[in-house]
Amino acid sequence: MLARRARLLGPAYRLFYQEPLHLVRGEGVWLVDAHGRRYLDAYNNVAAVGHCHPHVVAAIARQAATLNTHTRYLHDGILDYAERLLGTMPAALGHLMLTCTGSEANDLALRIAAAHTGGNGLVITRFAYHGVTAALAEASPSLGTQVRLGSHVRTVPAPDPRLPPEQVGPAFARRVRAAIAELQASGLRPAALLVDTVFSSDGILTDPPGFLAEAVDAMRAAGGLFIADEVQPGLGRTGEAMWGFLRHGVVPDLVTMGKPMGNGHPLAGVAVRPEVMAAFGSQCRYFNTFGGNPVAVAAGMAVLDVIEGEGLMANALRVGAYLRARLDDLARLHPAIGDVRGAGLFTGVELLGTDAARAPDGAAAARVVNAMRRRGVLVSSAGEHGNVLKIRPPLVFGEAHADLLVEALAAALEA
Amino acid sequence: MLARRARLLGPAYRLFYQEPLHLVRGEGVWLVDAHGRRYLDAYNNVAAVGHCHPHVVAAIARQAATLNTHTRYLHDGILDYAERLLGTMPAALGHLMLTCTGSEANDLALRIAAAHTGGNGLVITRFAYHGVTAALAEASPSLGTQVRLGSHVRTVPAPDPRLPPEQVGPAFARRVRAAIAELQASGLRPAALLVDTVFSSDGILTDPPGFLAEAVDAMRAAGGLFIADEVQPGLGRTGEAMWGFLRHGVVPDLVTMGKPMGNGHPLAGVAVRPEVMAAFGSQCRYFNTFGGNPVAVAAGMAVLDVIEGEGLMANALRVGAYLRARLDDLARLHPAIGDVRGAGLFTGVELLGTDAARAPDGAAAARVVNAMRRRGVLVSSAGEHGNVLKIRPPLVFGEAHADLLVEALAAALEA
């Protein structure tokens, strides 16, 4: 299969794990490989309400058999979904535009921000990932140094979790102000501060809630907007709030969403303040052939049904706290663990060298990720040094699953 | 619904028709509105094998209930699909990369072309549409003059159907050579000639087959690539060949695909020569969360099953020829019809003023499109002047449907 894949799909595709997984089935928090072995999925937030959730599958099947057209015809589905989804956000975010992918959502958000501000200067974090279109690859340093950043992009170090909590926000805001000044010195008008509100690829930086507000104020003072990239933190993941930005007490100008919205069905979008939308709307029409089609919004509605009906935000809050408490216990036994952090069911476990330098240990994280996979538990790593275990399971993850994960991590750390 | 839509979705969305359609159901070539009225769909190529085809719906439902993950795990589905789809193309096109939308496919193709050529100069036609990402909006003049073209983009007039057939290719190639010279004069290295191989938004320009070859040669002589945008012409639409470029006897460097691939399920992609892929592959990984996921490729496989099993290419060839013969008859009765052209089930009917000037009559086309909608037949218009009726039905369109269309068009023209 590896040879066939290299031949057919070419050199740009990557697989997870030293021993890649060949999956054939999924259910809830479980994935099953071709040999019938089960793996605990502690990584895939796309299957937010659990792999192959029957309510979502039925909604997709029913709508696919009924009608699947596009947004140039009237359809109740997209309006009902937009109303319901916008209803989970502050009222200022009045419009919803639907795309198929988070990349398309961020790409559209940048176009809207440029139309509104008349600028294109962008401030992002140093190991950010925002998507895979040409415009977003220029704003995704985590793709590697061979992918050039745009000349209109300035990066700032991610928020520093080592600082006393009351200093995290001011320090981050100082960096953002410096980046804005650099843009202006280059003659570039700031368009937006664009951040993932849990800083997923920078290493999962969640605390203290509220620390983002001062940086947002700084960008607004310079005439730019705040775009909250909720592709990873959004839709209840943090347990405390439906959206990551709500934890920070800020109301973004644009909110981009993706991965979990359709539980794997391609569905993503942008929520935007009407006054920010006006300039783009007067200059340009927007049509996305599959974006917000009747099947996609049926999937999206079903996902919201399950999140509400099964109390998955409360579950994320409870199980996430339980998981981090158990990981804190583990950290007392294993000096390689430098920090355990996160919100709801999004957790980062930082691994450091055990000598005095306490340097980020990406190699150890890679070994742990692969050892856990051999033990049947799927996680990945994040951060500029790849040294933060990224634990981001479906929201139906329970305490018993957290126990399995902690046992596998303990065994991997001992090995 | 209109007010609710404006409030929830904002100002960038557009609807078809003076009296927008509120659709609730689809089957084969038929769409049904909320009042139970049936409309003959002669426009939507996305539902290539017919609205809600049971074989495709079943494939989606089955796979959605089994597993829906992504390309960082091994899965037979994407490999089987890649092999089958690439099998419909010349062997030189060895790799397939999958995305969710045609925009993502074209955006990726431009990134690959830039990596291979070291340039970004682009030649497109004057009323082209290639997509809706930031990079593609800069290469889609049909979005309107308020959407700026990129400084690296040069446009050429579309092929001229008024010329004697043997002059169409040389004349188009002359324009492309001039555009290449302009790029070079500006210090820009040509990366690609990017065209829709039936020039859909330029007004459906299909003949004579083969006319593209000289322009492709010109771009290659300048060190650039040829990207065939098959989002509209591809997957059997032209009847004569599975892909529009095959009609022209050229083998592209990159082929981009989209709309009909999943019969409405978001599925699109890029086929590429391995030697053209190498530079991008060595610089950059590519991951598209939903692109090529197991459900998407199951939908794609089912679409190929139906195209082959129901002989839809042969149907497109036969019914398309029948339709154009009947439209030619109609043209003899109605001087407003300037030209009837197309290939397979992609037909353009040009409307001109009936005075001596014979100017393109976009207003007449808009009236006809709306009159046909009132008569229960759905078409649209295309071309720089909006004066070419765009007839692009599902491939299950039969002679009886063609008769209904011609009757509605005749009545509309008389009115």
Side-chain angles (χ1 to χ4, degrees):
Chain A
M1 279 181 97
L2 292 176
R4 204 176 161 216
R5 194 173 139 109
R7 173 170 60 85
L8 292 166
L9 307 186
Y13 278 82
R14 298 287 181 278
L15 287 164
F16 278 144
Y17 307 117
Q18 284 165 351
E19 300 160 65
L21 279 172
H22 175 193
L23 298 176
V24 298
R25 201 157 57 74
E27 187 180 351
V29 296
W30 297 99
L31 289 165
V32 181
D33 76 6
H35 306 292
R37 183 175 178 197
R38 295 201 316 172
Y39 294 82
L40 178 66
D41 184 359
Y43 178 74
N44 287 297
N45 65 325
V46 168
V49 300
H51 290 281
C52 305
H53 194 292
H55 183 66
V56 182
V57 171
I60 290 169
R62 189 168 53 240
Q63 188 59 50
T66 305
L67 178 74
N68 193 15
T69 53
H70 53 74
T71 55
R72 279 175 171 158
Y73 306 117
L74 294 168
H75 193 262
D76 290 309
I78 190 170
L79 302 179
D80 293 343
Y81 181 66
E83 193 146 65
R84 187 168 174 187
L85 194 71
L86 290 171
T88 67
M89 295 185 188
L93 293 153
H95 295 326
L96 180 71
M97 299 180 70
L98 291 172
T99 65
C100 294
T101 69
S103 287
E104 287 188 327
N106 275 327
D107 194 288
L108 174 59
L110 293 186
R111 293 184 68 200
I112 294 169
H116 178 76
T117 62
N120 69 345
L122 206 56
V123 178
I124 58 171
T125 52
R126 200 159 68 190
F127 206 66
Y129 176 77
H130 294 295
V132 80
T133 65
L136 292 170
E138 290 192 333
S140 293
S142 71
L143 288 173
T145 52
Q146 292 197 282
V147 181
R148 268 184 308 193
L149 293 187
S151 58
H152 59 289
V153 175
R154 295 294 177 277
T155 66
V156 293
D160 185 351
R162 293 281 181 286
L163 291 175
E166 70 280 6
Q167 292 180 23
V168 173
F172 186 65
R174 267 195 307 278
R175 308 279 204 168
V176 169
R177 276 191 292 266
I180 291 168
E182 275 181 54
L183 285 170
Q184 291 166 330
S186 304
L188 294 161
R189 187 182 295 192
L193 170 67
L194 167 62
V195 299
D196 171 329
T197 58
V198 298
F199 299 86
S200 309
S201 63
D202 284 293
I204 306 145
L205 303 157
T206 48
D207 290 303
F211 78 74
L212 256 177
E214 189 177 333
V216 170
D217 288 345
M219 177 52 80
R220 286 184 173 146
L225 303 172
F226 172 48
I227 306 173
D229 183 336
E230 294 284 341
V231 170
Q232 296 196 58
L235 227 62
R237 164 89 15 208
T238 64
E240 300 166 19
M242 191 68 164
W243 306 101
F245 65 80
L246 291 173
R247 297 179 64 248
H248 287 283
V250 292
V251 183
D253 299 293
L254 299 116
V255 177
T256 58
M257 300 159 271
K259 295 187 190 291
M261 288 173 82
N263 213 47
H265 190 94
L267 173 59
V270 183
V272 51
R273 294 175 186 255
E275 66 273 23
V276 168
M277 186 62 213
F280 183 87
S282 73
Q283 289 166 19
C284 192
R285 67 181 191 269
Y286 184 82
F287 178 63
N288 186 309
T289 300
F290 308 127
N293 75 23
V295 176
V297 296
M301 278 296 229
V303 167
L304 292 177
D305 289 344
V306 178
I307 289 175
E308 291 173 18
E310 299 187 7
L312 294 186
M313 270 179 63
N315 186 73
L317 191 64
R318 192 186 72 246
V319 178
Y322 174 80
L323 171 64
R324 281 186 295 281
R326 289 225 44 194
L327 291 168
D328 283 334
D329 292 342
L330 199 64
R332 280 186 274 277
L333 304 174
H334 292 278
I337 297 180
D339 191 16
V340 173
R341 56 193 182 228
L345 278 169
F346 207 148
T347 295
V349 178
E350 184 192 48
L351 298 186
L352 302 177
T354 50
D355 57 3
R358 296 294 269 162
D361 196 345
R367 285 195 304 272
V368 165
V369 165
N370 281 293
M372 290 180 74
R373 171 252 180 268
R374 285 193 296 272
R375 287 182 166 78
V377 177
L378 306 181
V379 302
S380 185
S381 62
E384 195 171 351
H385 307 286
N387 71 313
V388 181
L389 300 180
K390 183 176 180 181
I391 302 172
R392 191 189 54 174
L395 299 180
V396 290
F397 208 73
E399 279 88 348
H401 306 125
D403 290 341
L404 291 173
L405 185 152
V406 173
E407 285 161 29
L409 175 57
L413 286 168
E414 269 150 38
Chain B
M1 279 181 96
L2 292 175
R4 204 177 160 216
R5 195 173 139 108
R7 173 171 59 84
L8 292 166
L9 307 185
Y13 278 82
R14 299 287 182 277
L15 287 164
F16 279 144
Y17 308 117
Q18 284 165 351
E19 301 160 64
L21 280 172
H22 176 194
L23 298 176
V24 298
R25 200 157 59 74
E27 187 180 350
V29 297
W30 297 99
L31 287 165
V32 181
D33 77 6
H35 306 292
R37 185 177 177 195
R38 296 202 313 172
Y39 294 82
L40 179 66
D41 184 359
Y43 178 73
N44 287 297
N45 65 326
V46 169
V49 300
H51 290 281
C52 306
H53 194 293
H55 183 67
V56 182
V57 172
I60 290 169
R62 192 168 50 238
Q63 187 60 49
T66 305
L67 178 74
N68 194 15
T69 53
H70 53 75
T71 54
R72 280 176 171 157
Y73 306 117
L74 294 167
H75 194 262
D76 290 309
I78 190 171
L79 301 179
D80 293 343
Y81 182 66
E83 193 145 65
R84 187 167 174 188
L85 194 71
L86 290 170
T88 67
M89 295 185 186
L93 293 154
H95 295 326
L96 180 71
M97 298 179 72
L98 291 172
T99 65
C100 293
T101 70
S103 287
E104 288 188 326
N106 276 326
D107 193 289
L108 174 59
L110 295 186
R111 293 183 69 200
I112 294 169
H116 178 76
T117 62
N120 70 345
L122 206 55
V123 178
I124 58 171
T125 52
R126 199 161 66 192
F127 206 65
Y129 176 76
H130 294 294
V132 79
T133 65
L136 291 169
E138 291 194 331
S140 292
S142 71
L143 288 173
T145 52
Q146 292 197 282
V147 180
R148 270 184 306 193
L149 294 186
S151 59
H152 59 290
V153 175
R154 297 294 177 277
T155 67
V156 294
D160 184 352
R162 291 282 181 284
L163 291 174
E166 70 281 7
Q167 291 179 25
V168 174
F172 186 64
R174 267 196 305 278
R175 308 278 204 169
V176 169
R177 277 190 292 266
I180 291 168
E182 275 181 56
L183 284 172
Q184 292 167 330
S186 303
L188 294 162
R189 187 181 296 193
L193 171 67
L194 167 62
V195 299
D196 171 328
T197 58
V198 298
F199 299 86
S200 308
S201 63
D202 285 293
I204 305 144
L205 303 157
T206 48
D207 290 303
F211 78 76
L212 256 178
E214 190 177 333
V216 171
D217 289 345
M219 178 51 81
R220 285 184 173 147
L225 302 173
F226 172 47
I227 306 173
D229 183 336
E230 295 283 342
V231 170
Q232 295 196 61
L235 226 63
R237 165 83 22 203
T238 65
E240 299 166 20
M242 191 68 164
W243 306 100
F245 66 79
L246 291 173
R247 296 179 66 248
H248 287 282
V250 291
V251 182
D253 300 291
L254 299 116
V255 178
T256 58
M257 300 159 272
K259 293 188 190 292
M261 287 174 83
N263 212 46
H265 191 94
L267 173 60
V270 183
V272 52
R273 295 176 186 253
E275 66 273 22
V276 169
M277 187 61 214
F280 183 87
S282 72
Q283 289 165 20
C284 192
R285 66 180 192 268
Y286 183 81
F287 178 62
N288 186 310
T289 300
F290 309 127
N293 75 23
V295 176
V297 297
M301 279 295 233
V303 167
L304 292 176
D305 290 343
V306 178
I307 289 176
E308 291 173 16
E310 298 186 9
L312 294 186
M313 270 180 63
N315 186 72
L317 191 64
R318 192 187 71 247
V319 178
Y322 174 81
L323 172 64
R324 280 186 296 280
R326 290 223 45 193
L327 291 168
D328 283 334
D329 292 342
L330 200 65
R332 281 186 275 277
L333 303 174
H334 292 278
I337 297 180
D339 192 16
V340 174
R341 56 193 182 229
L345 279 170
F346 207 149
T347 295
V349 178
E350 183 192 50
L351 297 184
L352 302 176
T354 51
D355 57 3
R358 296 294 267 164
D361 196 346
R367 286 195 303 274
V368 166
V369 165
N370 281 292
M372 290 180 73
R373 172 252 180 268
R374 285 192 295 274
R375 286 181 168 79
V377 177
L378 305 182
V379 301
S380 185
S381 61
E384 195 170 351
H385 308 285
N387 70 313
V388 181
L389 301 179
K390 183 176 181 181
I391 302 173
R392 189 190 53 173
L395 299 179
V396 291
F397 208 72
E399 279 88 349
H401 306 125
D403 289 340
L404 290 173
L405 184 153
V406 172
E407 285 161 29
L409 175 56
L413 286 167
E414 270 150 37

